[in-house]
Amino acid sequence: MLEYEKIISQMTLNEKASLLSGEDFWHTRAIDRLKIPAMALSDGPHGLRKQASEGDHLGLVKGVPATCFPTAATMANSWDLALCEVVGQTLGKEAVYNNVNIILGPALNIKRSPLCGRNFEYYSEDPYLSGKLAAAYVKGIQKEGVGACLKHFAGNSQEYLRMTTDSVIDDRTLHEIYLTGFEIAVKEGKPKAVMSSYNKLNGIYTHENQFLLSDILVDKWGFDGIVVSDWGGSNDAVNAVKAGANLEMPSTGNDSILQLMDAVTDGHLDEKILDKRVDEFLRILYDTEIKSNLEVDLQEHHRLAQHAAEQAMVLLKNENILPISTSSKVAIIGDFAKIPRYQGAGSSLVNPYKLDGFMEVAGQTELNIIGYADGFNRIDGDDISDIDEAVELAKKADIVLVFMGLNEVCEMEGHDRSHLKISNNQIQLIQAVSQVAKKTVAIISAGAVIEMKWEENCDAIVHSYLSGQAGAKALLNVLTGKVNPSGKLSESYPYYYEDCPNVRYYPGKEKTCEYREGIFVGYRYFDKVEKEVRYPFGYGLSYTTFEYSNLVVEDHGIQCRVTNTGEVAGSEIIQMYINKNQTEVHRPVKELKGFTKAYIEPGETVDIVIPFDAYTFRYYDINSNEYVIEKGSYQILVGSSSRDIRLSGMIDMNGVQVNSDDSINLKQYYEGEVTDISSETFSKLYGKPLPKSLWDRSQPLEMNDSMSQMVYAKSLLARLAIKMLIRMRTRSVKKGKPDLNLFFLSNMSFRAIAKMSDGAFSMEMVEKMLIIINGRFFRGLGGLIKAFFKYKKRGKVNA
Ligand code: BGC
């Protein structure tokens, strides 16, 4: 029985189909005849990006002014669910104010590799933490009546070839690492929408993946919202509807409508399924209808953005110099102090209604600032001409604050980094400054992991990540001690990129992206093989100290006590991990299963309670395709970081007796030695033969090939075009202004020409264009012209 049967029964087939794809970049279609309004969708995860005029999915055209909160990677360091909920609610208010029904966020893809260009938009390498934070955002956003849209579902951890790559992930890894976060966020947050990702998952595009969208999302997790495609990410409109997807975005003109209508008419698509998708869509449309004339207080939101940033700052090192005393002479070095790096580039780019810079806010305080020097050229990383001036300034100061990190080119949608280093001139700067300065403090702005060999040159380091429009004031408060830093890293900092488990497999090349490291992502790997890291997962210092005591492990969770043993009040993030020593399956030695953040006055002791939940002891059993608990005893580890375990206890769990004979076949996984997994071993873990990983250059290019494959197209013109595009792309990076459109185009699939062109091209027209690209110019051109007129004619009839 459909909820909106009455309306649906009055709809023509054309009207039904027309609701399932966009009218324009940000809206669905209204049907005036039936008084069905349009739905408005807008990015994004850390601030609203509503585009009032022209639309794009890369943040190229400015959105309306909105509050730019710290990005997800930053907020994750707060580990503060209540705060995330409040930030979410504030995003919700700005959405209501701007008449937006669905916010396209939060984004919670797993940081499989520190190189992923969008890591600044994601929470963590850990699924539990990601899921909890995302659920909090969703709850907050939806308190205001608008919908949140979890993205990108699922297995999308690289930007390179993101529209064509096939993520090859074994079942257990998929469930435990790449789906658990979404599961938590769906079950606890109850989002009104989920955005499918661009990639294929185990051979099938996620937007038409029945297993993901129906079996898992709906049947197993009880999702009752709508599934929206990523922008241009849909493939076959009919298969998408069959698999459980509701909305294809942005606009494909009439093309997808015609395909759905044809499929119903010729019996390929049961109209009942179409009705069901329409019914689901209408429910969310009416559910998220904006009914109020809410006013928003952007000043108040700015203060919240500052508070959020304060809670997320991570103090990485402090050799007794922070907080800064007001009597110290302070020199400020580094371009980022003047022009802050506070968010990343791409679809999440917010147009902040106000933006604080450090120089400006510090100038309004008691801080005794004796001067400023640029220190380094932000764009040309090899230009060291600013160092001398900085060194001269540093000599005169008691404390030198060096503002450094990743520049704008390094962190953006559509492009992964190729290394973890900061620019050469910054490294040389910090080395030179530290030689003459009495005390050197590095302030890092970067939304993702960097290598920090230069750590030894610093007396203190504050990592502010990408802290949003009010991050400067938050940083100032941390530096001066008004705020005691309490953030802890939500990702591991290896010494070198080469230490990571998946260096050989990331990013996937050409056709596939094989997740050969399996479940050993981030600290799950580093801890298993006991590899030293620069900063472990969950790490962060405070201006005070905390003592842990009295652990009691009970059936439903743990209790312990934490005392603030220092002089100042502060917050501590208490983390609970589990470990199963005696196990029949391969496992990490530590997995985060709970956490809480407590504010504690000096000398005060607080009681901490962390409950167990459905995720605490389970692992995914590939034989029964279910989560099970392995019978036996588990170690419960409670600590201040993943590598600073203060208390431990045991618990016996009733569960299934697991008998596995994989320990020989999958020996490397049992040992965590996953850096060099052969195809044969991965295929055993995967449970099937591996799909072809390389492009077949002898074959003609197809709809789902990537534009970058035109380098080997038969048509000379096509080869020249892609070469020119790549050259222009490289040039834009060198200039320090990477052209996101060019990055997008080179990673784009051919079919996306139809999916992103607002109906200018039909899928059939793109097929004919491919004939040209494949070297049969006249045949292709003839077909293209014919397809053009056919589409125009049919489009008009059915409009
Ligand atoms: C991004 C999404 C975003 C969409 C709309 C896509 O390129 O992957 O995260 O929501 O554009 O801007």
Side-chain angles (χ1 to χ4, degrees):
M1 173 71 185
L2 303 175
E3 203 174 329
Y4 290 92
E5 179 127 38
K6 219 166 143 204
I7 302 181
I8 295 172
S9 64
Q10 297 171 54
M11 290 167 97
T12 63
L13 181 57
N14 186 312
E15 283 169 339
K16 289 178 195 174
S18 72
L19 283 184
L20 303 188
S21 58
E23 162 80 29
D24 61 28
F25 224 86
W26 301 118
H27 297 93
T28 62
R29 291 183 176 83
I31 303 178
D32 297 338
R33 189 180 74 84
L34 297 169
K35 297 197 175 60
I36 297 175
M39 174 192 277
L41 306 97
S42 275
D43 286 303
H46 60 266
L48 201 71
R49 186 176 73 96
K50 177 178 170 171
Q51 292 180 308
S53 53
E54 263 177 275
D56 72 79
H57 63 300
L58 300 169
L60 305 176
V61 177
K62 267 193 181 174
V64 298
T67 311
C68 178
F69 288 98
T71 76
T74 318
M75 288 303 292
N77 295 331
S78 75
W79 299 55
D80 189 333
L81 301 181
L83 176 64
C84 289
E85 196 168 324
V86 175
V87 170
Q89 188 171 1
T90 313
L91 292 173
K93 282 187 180 147
E94 292 196 18
V96 173
Y97 177 70
N98 282 292
N99 282 313
V100 167
N101 306 70
I102 302 269
I103 292 182
L104 303 173
L108 65 153
N109 294 92
I110 289 293
K111 299 184 190 191
R112 177 184 172 219
S113 161
L115 292 181
C116 175
R118 279 185 100 167
N119 275 358
F120 70 90
E121 276 187 75
Y122 303 148
Y123 294 110
S124 176
E125 65 192 26
D126 182 84
Y128 188 82
L129 181 58
S130 300
K132 287 283 179 182
L133 292 164
Y137 264 88
V138 172
K139 283 187 211 160
I141 291 171
Q142 298 194 161
K143 267 189 186 160
E144 294 300 322
V146 295
C149 179
L150 293 182
K151 65 187 187 184
H152 310 87
F153 189 58
N156 171 201
S157 294
Q158 76 176 44
E159 290 299 283
Y160 180 62
L161 295 177
R162 62 178 175 166
M163 281 188 145
T164 53
T165 193
D166 178 9
S167 297
V168 181
I169 315 179
D170 68 276
D171 266 357
R172 179 161 170 218
T173 302
L174 177 66
H175 280 84
E176 290 186 18
I177 305 294
Y178 297 96
L179 294 184
T180 294
F182 282 99
E183 179 182 355
I184 296 172
V186 166
K187 287 183 174 167
E188 294 182 11
K190 306 208 180 316
K192 299 203 190 294
V194 163
M195 184 192 288
S196 57
S197 52
Y198 279 131
N199 54 292
K200 291 177 194 156
L201 176 66
N202 293 331
I204 302 173
Y205 273 109
T206 62
H207 196 62
E208 58 199 48
N209 197 313
Q210 166 102 27
F211 162 76
L212 257 192
L213 305 189
S214 292
D215 304 355
I216 299 275
L217 192 57
V218 176
D219 298 348
K220 286 220 161 139
W221 301 347
F223 175 69
D224 60 358
I226 53 170
V227 175
V228 184
S229 75
D230 199 344
W231 267 230
S234 57
N235 174 43
D236 182 315
V238 177
N239 285 346
V241 166
K242 280 187 190 166
N246 302 82
L247 183 59
E248 183 177 355
M249 289 302 286
S251 176
T252 56
N254 275 318
D255 202 26
S256 299
I257 301 178
L258 294 172
Q259 285 164 33
L260 289 174
M261 290 171 66
D262 285 352
V264 171
T265 316
D266 66 22
H268 279 100
L269 175 65
D270 184 344
E271 192 164 354
K272 286 207 182 85
I273 298 180
L274 188 71
D275 289 353
K276 190 160 185 290
R277 296 288 104 80
V278 171
D279 191 51
E280 290 156 358
F281 173 80
L282 288 176
R283 194 160 49 73
I284 299 302
L285 174 72
Y286 291 124
D287 235 35
T288 59
E289 235 184 327
I290 311 288
K291 294 181 196 97
S292 68
N293 287 327
L294 186 80
E295 283 302 314
V296 291
D297 180 350
L298 290 178
Q299 271 303 335
E300 185 57 39
H301 296 186
H302 185 75
R303 281 192 287 276
L304 175 63
Q306 179 190 321
H307 175 64
E310 285 167 351
Q311 294 304 306
M313 297 269 161
V314 188
L315 180 64
L316 293 178
K317 182 173 182 177
N318 188 16
E319 299 196 330
N320 283 328
I321 69 164
L322 294 180
I324 302 171
S325 83
T326 41
S327 59
S328 304
K329 284 186 280 174
V330 178
I332 299 178
I333 294 173
D335 202 17
F336 292 179
K338 260 197 182 152
I339 307 168
R341 266 231 63 223
Y342 61 102
Q343 64 174 332
S347 62
S348 68
L349 194 88
V350 177
N351 175 16
Y353 98 93
K354 180 178 175 185
L355 176 61
D356 292 341
F358 188 80
M359 289 306 292
E360 171 203 327
V361 295
Q364 297 158 6
T365 64
E366 314 250 284
L367 215 57
N368 181 8
I369 299 171
I370 60 158
Y372 165 84
D374 280 342
F376 60 91
N377 180 331
R378 190 181 187 118
I379 295 168
D380 179 358
D382 291 322
D383 175 1
I384 53 169
S385 59
D386 291 318
I387 294 184
D388 290 347
E389 185 201 352
V391 167
E392 285 315 306
L393 175 63
K395 285 179 188 163
K396 298 179 204 145
D398 298 319
I399 295 183
V400 182
L401 302 180
V402 185
F403 286 74
M404 54 202 291
L406 293 175
N407 71 5
E408 286 73 5
V409 180
C410 299
E411 294 184 272
M412 58 183 200
E413 181 175 339
H415 183 49
D416 301 309
R417 286 187 290 163
S418 54
H419 59 76
L420 298 183
K421 295 181 178 41
I422 58 167
S423 66
N424 243 331
N425 54 4
Q426 293 187 51
I427 299 175
Q428 291 193 35
L429 170 74
I430 193 102
Q431 285 165 346
V433 164
S434 68
Q435 272 174 25
V436 298
K438 288 193 192 121
K439 297 284 174 196
T440 307
V441 181
I443 315 289
I444 308 171
S445 299
V449 171
I450 51 175
E451 281 173 14
M452 295 174 62
K453 184 159 174 10
W454 41 268
E455 182 215 33
E456 61 211 32
N457 300 107
C458 308
D459 300 286
I461 304 175
V462 179
H463 201 332
S464 64
Y465 268 70
L466 298 178
S467 50
Q469 66 178 47
K473 191 76 185 289
L475 174 67
L476 182 72
N477 286 346
V478 164
L479 291 172
T480 54
K482 261 197 181 158
V483 167
N484 187 353
S486 58
K488 298 204 180 199
L489 296 173
S490 51
E491 57 193 332
S492 311
Y493 275 59
Y495 278 101
Y496 299 102
Y497 173 59
E498 290 67 30
D499 295 341
C500 294
N502 39 24
V503 173
R504 284 195 172 84
Y505 331 124
Y506 188 95
K509 305 266 156 25
E510 306 201 346
K511 272 177 116 60
T512 62
C513 161
E514 297 173 342
Y515 287 48
R516 292 195 185 197
E517 71 281 4
I519 57 174
F520 295 103
V521 174
Y523 71 89
R524 283 173 166 74
Y525 166 72
F526 297 121
D527 285 2
K528 179 85 175 179
V529 297
E530 295 177 9
K531 189 172 284 264
E532 286 305 313
V533 290
R534 180 148 329 253
Y535 298 115
F537 175 82
Y539 169 87
L541 301 174
S542 163
Y543 294 150
T544 186
T545 45
F546 300 100
E547 210 173 85
Y548 287 55
S549 62
N550 295 51
L551 175 69
V552 182
V553 180
E554 293 168 331
D555 284 352
H556 302 293
I558 64 117
Q559 288 185 37
C560 69
R561 313 196 83 193
V562 177
T563 307
N564 181 343
T565 47
E567 310 279 290
V568 289
S571 294
E572 170 71 335
I573 296 161
I574 299 111
Q575 302 155 43
M576 178 182 80
Y577 298 85
I578 69 145
N579 172 32
K580 185 157 194 342
N581 279 329
Q582 300 288 323
T583 172
E584 285 287 314
V585 289
H586 63 274
R587 283 177 190 265
V589 291
K590 216 175 279 153
E591 290 184 274
L592 182 76
K593 296 295 178 175
F595 59 89
T596 187
K597 189 168 186 173
Y599 177 83
I600 316 178
E601 293 290 342
E604 189 194 2
T605 298
V606 293
D607 290 321
I608 300 296
V609 176
I610 303 179
F612 298 145
D613 58 26
Y615 308 97
T616 311
F617 298 103
R618 69 178 199 176
Y619 84 97
Y620 190 78
D621 173 36
I622 50 161
N623 298 314
S624 60
N625 289 330
E626 293 290 346
Y627 278 102
V628 297
I629 294 176
E630 185 181 6
K631 186 178 163 61
S633 56
Y634 290 76
Q635 208 182 1
I636 308 294
L637 308 162
V638 179
S640 175
S641 92
S642 63
R643 292 251 170 129
D644 184 5
I645 298 300
R646 307 285 183 85
L647 305 167
S648 74
M650 298 296 288
I651 186 168
D652 282 330
M653 292 300 296
N654 248 329
V656 297
Q657 184 65 53
V658 179
N659 294 310
S660 168
D661 49 13
D662 274 346
S663 56
I664 297 170
N665 267 343
L666 300 176
K667 186 164 177 281
Q668 281 168 287
Y669 290 101
Y670 277 72
E671 290 165 355
E673 297 293 351
V674 293
T675 56
D676 194 10
I677 297 284
S678 67
S679 299
E680 198 195 343
T681 305
F682 182 52
S683 174
K684 277 182 196 149
L685 181 77
Y686 188 52
K688 306 180 258 227
L690 300 178
K692 284 210 175 85
S693 64
L694 295 180
W695 296 326
D696 184 347
R697 288 169 167 75
S698 67
Q699 290 301 309
L701 293 170
E702 294 172 358
M703 293 292 269
N704 286 332
D705 283 333
S706 147
M707 303 267 275
S708 58
Q709 287 173 253
M710 285 200 300
V711 285
Y712 63 83
K714 286 234 167 69
S715 151
L716 175 68
L717 211 64
R719 291 203 302 275
L720 284 176
I722 192 70
K723 277 188 189 145
M724 204 147 84
L725 187 147
I726 292 171
R727 203 167 304 147
M728 281 159 58
R729 198 182 69 179
T730 315
R731 214 175 297 149
S732 75
V733 173
K734 278 199 183 130
K735 277 195 201 144
K737 286 210 161 58
D739 188 326
L740 265 66
N741 249 327
L742 298 179
F743 276 97
F744 182 77
L745 278 175
S746 50
N747 281 327
M748 189 171 108
S749 57
F750 290 103
R751 74 169 193 285
I753 299 174
K755 301 293 181 187
M756 302 285 290
S757 64
D758 197 12
F761 294 92
S762 66
M763 290 285 266
E764 193 183 347
M765 286 163 71
V766 180
E767 271 164 21
K768 305 298 174 201
M769 277 163 72
L770 271 165
I771 298 179
I772 301 178
I773 292 170
N774 286 320
R776 303 183 73 177
F777 184 80
F778 292 108
R779 189 158 170 225
L781 188 65
L784 182 60
I785 294 170
K786 230 193 252 165
F788 171 78
F789 284 110
K790 183 174 142 202
Y791 176 53
K792 286 294 141 201
K793 196 167 149 205
R794 282 208 66 196
K796 265 196 203 122
V797 173
N798 290 289

